[in-house]
Amino acid sequence: MTDEERGICVRDVTAQAFIEAYAEHLKNSDKFELPVWSDTVKTGVFKELAPYGDDWYYIRAASVARKVYLRPGIGIGQLQKWYGGSYHRGARTEHFRKANSGIIRSVLLQLEEMKVTEKLETGGRRMTRVGQQDLDRIAGSVFRDQEEDE
């Protein structure tokens, strides 16, 4: 089987390229809306300021969708750990802190409304068939764009 016959999935493209493309797709989508609090909220207690970029919420949503695609059954707690970081406490030692769960939860709820993810009976989330096709289609376009650039 040659490379042209094989379908391209999210694993075949770099994370950065895929997240940028899917974030742009979510931004252009009518179904995915930016919350009113997105300009003032911090992404975790370990951060001093809110994110500077206007598109940070779409980028985080694309990253969460990619994580759910790669690890079916992942929950909000695991995603909090993944997006967490070091809490700088002045002269005292640093400690790990989890990320803001409200942001992750609101992203997952919007992705559920778009029929991209679904809840599992055992807890956690996974991609729906429509969501997987959507992400694979975008990954395919990113893969073709990377091949044309080379």
Side-chain angles (χ1 to χ4, degrees):
M1 196 157 80
T2 63
D3 286 337
E4 287 81 30
E5 293 175 15
R6 189 174 63 86
I8 302 299
C9 69
V10 175
R11 294 180 194 276
D12 298 328
V13 295
T14 61
Q16 183 178 2
F18 174 77
I19 289 171
E20 285 176 9
Y22 194 59
E24 192 64 34
H25 169 74
L26 290 175
K27 190 175 181 180
N28 295 334
S29 171
D30 296 339
K31 298 175 186 172
F32 199 83
E33 296 174 0
L34 196 65
V36 292
W37 45 259
S38 67
D39 57 340
T40 56
V41 72
K42 296 193 306 181
T43 56
V45 294
F46 57 95
K47 297 283 189 181
E48 288 187 18
L49 297 170
Y52 283 122
D54 296 332
D55 300 345
W56 74 267
Y57 189 78
Y58 298 110
I59 293 167
R60 177 60 57 96
S63 178
V64 166
R66 182 178 177 275
K67 280 279 170 211
V68 173
Y69 180 98
L70 296 176
R71 299 193 58 169
I74 196 169
I76 293 172
Q78 277 183 304
L79 288 167
Q80 274 184 284
K81 247 187 238 178
W82 174 256
Y83 293 111
S86 259
Y87 185 41
H88 304 291
R89 308 181 320 143
R92 296 172 296 174
T93 57
E94 295 178 352
H95 286 295
F96 179 82
R97 290 286 180 261
K98 291 181 180 177
N100 187 340
S101 63
I103 294 170
I104 296 168
R105 190 174 292 112
S106 72
V107 164
L108 287 171
L109 285 173
Q110 285 200 47
L111 289 174
E112 265 182 60
E113 289 172 9
M114 291 174 62
K115 304 280 191 265
V116 175
T117 62
E118 63 186 2
K119 281 187 181 177
L120 293 173
E121 303 83 37
T122 56
R125 304 290 204 292
R126 73 170 183 198
M127 299 306 275
T128 60
R129 183 179 299 270
V130 174
Q132 186 171 349
Q133 289 171 351
D134 197 26
L135 267 65
D136 285 343
R137 180 178 46 79
I138 290 168
S141 67
V142 169
F143 187 79
R144 284 187 292 280
D145 289 345
Q146 286 178 344
E147 277 189 340
E148 288 173 8
D149 291 343
E150 291 176 357

